[in-house]
Amino acid sequence: MRGQNNSFKQRLQSYLPAISLLLIIPIWQLVCSLFEFPPYILPSPTMIFDAFVQVESARWVMHLWATLRVALFGFILSLCISIPLAMMMVSSKYLSKTLYPLLVVIQSTPVVAIAPLLITMFGSGEGPRLAITCLITFFPLVVSATTGMLSTPPELIDLSRSLRAARYKEIFYIRLPYALPHIFSGMKVAITLAIIGAVVAEFVAAEQGLGYFIQFSTSFFKVPQAFAALIFLAVVSLILFKTVYWVQKYFFAWTLNKEKS
Amino acid sequence: MKPYVSFNSVSHFYETDEGQQVEALRNVDFHIEKHQFVAVVGPSGCGKSTLLKLLTGLLRPAGGQVKIFGTPVTEPRDEIGIVFQQPTLLPWLNVLENVMFPIKHKRGRISSKEKEQALSLIKMVGLDDFSQRMPSELSGGMQQRVGIARALLLDPEILIMDEPFSALDALTREEMGFDLLRIWNQSPKTVLFITHSITEAVLLADKVLIMSPRPGRLSEEIFIDLPRPRSAETVKEKAFAEYSDRIRQQIYHPREFTVVSNESKVKQEVSNL
Ligand SMILES: Nc1ncnc2c1ncn2[C@@H]1O[C@H](COP(=O)(O)OP(=O)(O)O)[C@@H](O)[C@H]1O
Ligand SMILES: [Mg+2]
């Protein structure tokens, strides 16, 4: 009996976020019909849904793919740069002392403000948009990887050295895997930032993408359509976040264990 | 007979981040014979871990010499296995893979014979049913058993243990002590064992080194002449209590000792009762 009760409670808990999201919709609808806001102030959920359906699905797919492509490639590029960089910083004190201030400068510069500059400098192609996404996702990845690698228990490093193992083995087979739980936390932050980066780049210059579509819609006062694109974007961002979690859960399950030692 | 391990007037300094020198060890002198079990007791910060690191070759002494089989230690050597205070297993490897890790890490692969050996070590530490489990599924005591099996894999002549049981609860700790005695009987090793527990030291060791802090020095060497094999019965003997008392006395109320310089060697002698 108690077991059943527990599992019911657990089930309820896992559905609570979805329930709370679904509850918002009727309340929103009610508020809109009570106060009769004009649609360009606050469109009702039914209006947003209508606007969503009116846009052909091929168009949605095109805009979605344009944004997703930049976000994903930017994220992967950032991962490919930041992890080796973190490995280098961990293996050399001098390198970390040289690079760290540079990283902090990059992080303290608002990337959103660099976006127009980059685009005037390098044109409105996909390159600058990738660069912006890369810049915005870069810092959490480097920091999480470095922190993770430095949190490796010193005993394991002693063990590696007492075996006279090569230095690269210490980094690859001990420090890097040890950093994985941290790296996954960094990746969860970075993947949502990647969407932000891609959208910001589209605001500055683009001919397609969900960010571009939001700007395009609002400039024609098609606010319900902009809302539809915004919600679509939020859903995509959530799915990407969940994908990182699923990859972690299925391929690196141990990173989710709370360590006893 | 040549001593297996010898420390000759070993001293060591650390440099703090502010550039100050900390004297961690001063003129430490002792020997370990083959298959002798030596325990080191002393308050925190008196240089016990430093002593171990010097023997592993991870640190080089600032003064004096550390020798294994008569040759100075200049780098880490294969004859040494280390068990740490925390088990520090690799959380992404199962028990068997953790035990095999030193060989894999050193050479990149492992022979089937060595794998058999790893399995029999896992059996020896009493974990036969757990070889495929992940570290997070094990209790602290079981994790430390894996740590011991891992240290024994390369069949080291010398086993170094730095407070291996101090992270465990009292009951598990006692059980692990008896298990270590059993393992040591099965495959005798030369052991340097650091502990905070006086009774643990008396139960396990042939010789107890007592250290005092600031700077870390050896204040006394006590030979434990209790018969082996030792067991739960040993603890009840009168001699056991006497040894424990003597060590406790020396730690809390150290008698004055004089340092007599004798050419290059420095010997510490306890002044008359
Ligand atoms: N890496 C280090 N840098 C500076 N001081 C250290 C370092 N390691 C140990 N010490 C100092 O050396 C002394 C002995 O340390 P340690 O050998 O770890 O003692 P124990 O293991 O007996 O607790 C302590 O005072 C400690 O603060
Ligand atoms: Mg210590």
Side-chain angles (χ1 to χ4, degrees):
Chain A
M1 268 308 277
R2 233 184 113 217
Q4 261 179 359
N5 206 352
N6 270 347
S7 82
F8 172 73
K9 270 188 187 163
Q10 271 171 9
R11 282 254 265 330
L12 187 71
Q13 257 176 26
S14 67
Y15 288 132
L16 273 179
I19 293 172
S20 70
L21 279 178
L22 285 177
L23 266 178
I24 289 180
I25 296 174
I27 295 173
W28 184 347
Q29 187 73 40
L30 199 71
V31 168
C32 286
S33 54
L34 275 180
F35 297 99
E36 294 180 346
F37 291 122
Y40 58 86
I41 302 270
L42 185 69
S44 69
T46 45
M47 286 166 85
I48 294 170
F49 183 77
D50 285 343
F52 183 81
V53 186
Q54 266 165 30
V55 179
E56 303 141 56
S57 52
R59 229 169 131 210
W60 279 126
V61 170
M62 178 194 74
H63 288 307
L64 170 68
W65 176 233
T67 306
L68 207 56
R69 198 170 54 206
V70 171
L72 280 181
F73 286 148
F75 174 76
I76 289 166
L77 194 66
S78 182
L79 206 57
C80 292
I81 298 170
S82 55
I83 303 295
L85 193 73
M87 278 158 59
M88 273 155 56
M89 291 200 348
V90 167
S91 56
S92 153
K93 226 183 213 158
Y94 297 102
L95 213 56
S96 80
K97 287 227 164 103
T98 328
L99 288 177
Y100 202 77
L102 215 68
L103 289 180
V104 173
V105 169
I106 291 180
Q107 175 61 11
S108 357
T109 313
V111 177
V112 181
I114 316 179
L117 286 176
L118 277 178
I119 285 167
T120 30
M121 280 157 74
F122 300 107
S124 61
E126 207 150 285
R129 267 183 274 158
L130 275 178
I132 291 161
T133 312
C134 220
L135 276 176
I136 210 168
T137 51
F138 184 67
F139 201 71
L141 289 175
V142 177
V143 170
S144 61
T146 314
T147 320
M149 282 191 249
L150 289 178
S151 73
T152 309
E155 289 93 340
L156 285 176
I157 304 305
D158 280 353
L159 178 65
S160 179
R161 296 197 179 153
S162 77
L163 293 165
R164 279 171 287 128
R167 201 58 206 283
Y168 80 89
K169 286 189 176 176
E170 172 192 314
I171 303 267
F172 267 93
Y173 300 125
I174 299 181
R175 286 194 189 271
L176 185 60
Y178 226 97
L180 275 175
H182 289 84
I183 293 176
F184 270 106
S185 307
M187 275 163 66
K188 283 177 208 157
V189 175
I191 195 81
T192 45
L193 285 177
I195 293 281
I196 294 178
V199 168
V200 164
E202 285 167 11
F203 281 173
V204 180
E207 293 82 47
Q208 40 177 260
L210 289 170
Y212 158 81
F213 191 61
I214 289 175
Q215 217 185 22
F216 167 84
S217 308
T218 46
S219 60
F220 286 93
F221 287 99
K222 292 183 175 173
V223 176
Q225 189 173 291
F227 262 91
L230 181 67
I231 290 167
F232 196 27
L233 207 50
V235 170
V236 169
S237 191
L238 198 68
I239 289 171
L240 287 181
F241 179 88
K242 275 282 175 192
T243 309
V244 173
Y245 175 75
W246 286 323
V247 168
Q248 180 177 17
K249 191 173 169 191
Y250 289 103
F251 296 103
F252 302 95
W254 65 269
T255 57
L256 295 166
N257 288 333
K258 278 267 174 288
E259 258 203 278
K260 278 182 195 160
S261 55
Chain B
M1 193 171 122
K2 242 196 208 165
Y4 233 52
V5 171
S6 62
F7 276 63
N8 301 326
S9 326
V10 172
S11 49
H12 193 73
F13 298 87
Y14 285 108
E15 190 125 345
T16 60
D17 291 335
E18 295 87 52
Q20 283 175 320
Q21 290 218 320
V22 180
E23 188 175 15
L25 286 178
R26 181 187 287 179
N27 284 330
V28 173
D29 245 311
F30 68 92
H31 304 293
I32 307 178
E33 308 288 335
K34 184 171 184 173
H35 293 177
Q36 202 173 30
F37 198 123
V38 173
V40 183
V41 293
S44 285
C46 70
K48 303 182 298 296
S49 298
T50 307
L51 207 68
L52 285 198
K53 285 205 170 156
L54 290 168
L55 182 55
T56 57
L58 290 167
L59 281 182
R60 303 282 297 278
Q65 273 188 323
V66 179
K67 289 181 179 173
I68 296 179
F69 316 136
T71 49
V73 178
T74 53
E75 60 166 1
R77 304 163 60 134
D78 288 344
E79 295 93 352
I80 292 181
I82 313 173
V83 180
F84 303 98
Q85 180 169 357
Q86 299 292 336
T88 52
L89 305 178
L90 302 167
W92 57 94
L93 299 179
N94 67 27
V95 167
L96 177 60
E97 290 164 335
N98 260 295
V99 173
M100 297 191 304
F101 178 78
I103 290 183
K104 276 249 179 77
H105 193 62
K106 202 174 161 69
R107 306 204 202 110
R109 69 183 102 78
I110 187 161
S111 70
S112 53
K113 195 173 143 242
E114 284 160 337
K115 190 176 169 180
E116 286 305 311
Q117 213 173 325
L119 282 166
S120 70
L121 280 171
I122 290 171
K123 194 167 176 177
M124 184 160 88
V125 298
L127 292 176
D128 356 8
D129 299 333
F130 295 87
S131 65
Q132 299 304 316
R133 296 292 187 85
M134 298 306 279
S136 58
E137 299 173 89
L138 306 182
S139 69
M142 288 158 106
Q143 289 188 24
Q144 193 54 290
R145 284 165 197 270
V146 180
I148 293 172
R150 175 175 71 184
L152 293 173
L153 179 69
L154 288 158
D155 198 23
E157 302 278 340
I158 301 164
L159 187 61
I160 292 182
M161 306 175 93
D162 193 351
E163 302 182 24
F165 306 148
S166 55
L168 306 175
D169 62 90
L171 289 177
T172 313
R173 180 172 191 153
E174 200 167 71
E175 190 192 335
M176 293 287 282
F178 290 121
D179 270 8
L180 181 62
L181 278 176
R182 176 181 57 78
I183 292 166
W184 184 66
N185 276 332
Q186 257 177 307
S187 76
K189 304 267 174 227
T190 306
V191 183
L192 186 60
F193 184 96
I194 291 180
T195 177
H196 270 132
S197 157
I198 293 167
T199 48
E200 198 170 77
V202 177
L203 175 68
L204 298 173
D206 297 311
K207 178 161 94 175
V208 177
L209 306 177
I210 301 168
M211 291 187 68
S212 54
R214 278 175 298 273
R217 287 151 301 166
L218 216 57
S219 65
E220 198 172 329
E221 257 189 30
I222 295 177
F223 287 86
I224 310 294
D225 251 334
L226 293 169
R228 290 192 188 268
R230 296 179 190 165
S231 64
E233 294 303 307
T234 313
V235 185
K236 296 178 198 155
E237 280 177 41
K238 201 164 147 255
F240 186 92
E242 282 168 7
Y243 280 123
S244 306
D245 273 349
R246 229 178 107 195
I247 294 171
R248 200 165 289 125
Q249 193 73 27
Q250 178 62 25
I251 290 175
Y252 296 116
H253 309 285
R255 282 162 287 179
E256 283 176 21
F257 56 83
T258 49
V259 179
V260 181
S261 193
N262 169 1
E263 283 176 342
S264 72
K265 266 197 157 190
V266 179
K267 273 213 168 109
Q268 298 177 343
E269 285 176 359
V270 179
S271 62
N272 53 341
L273 285 159

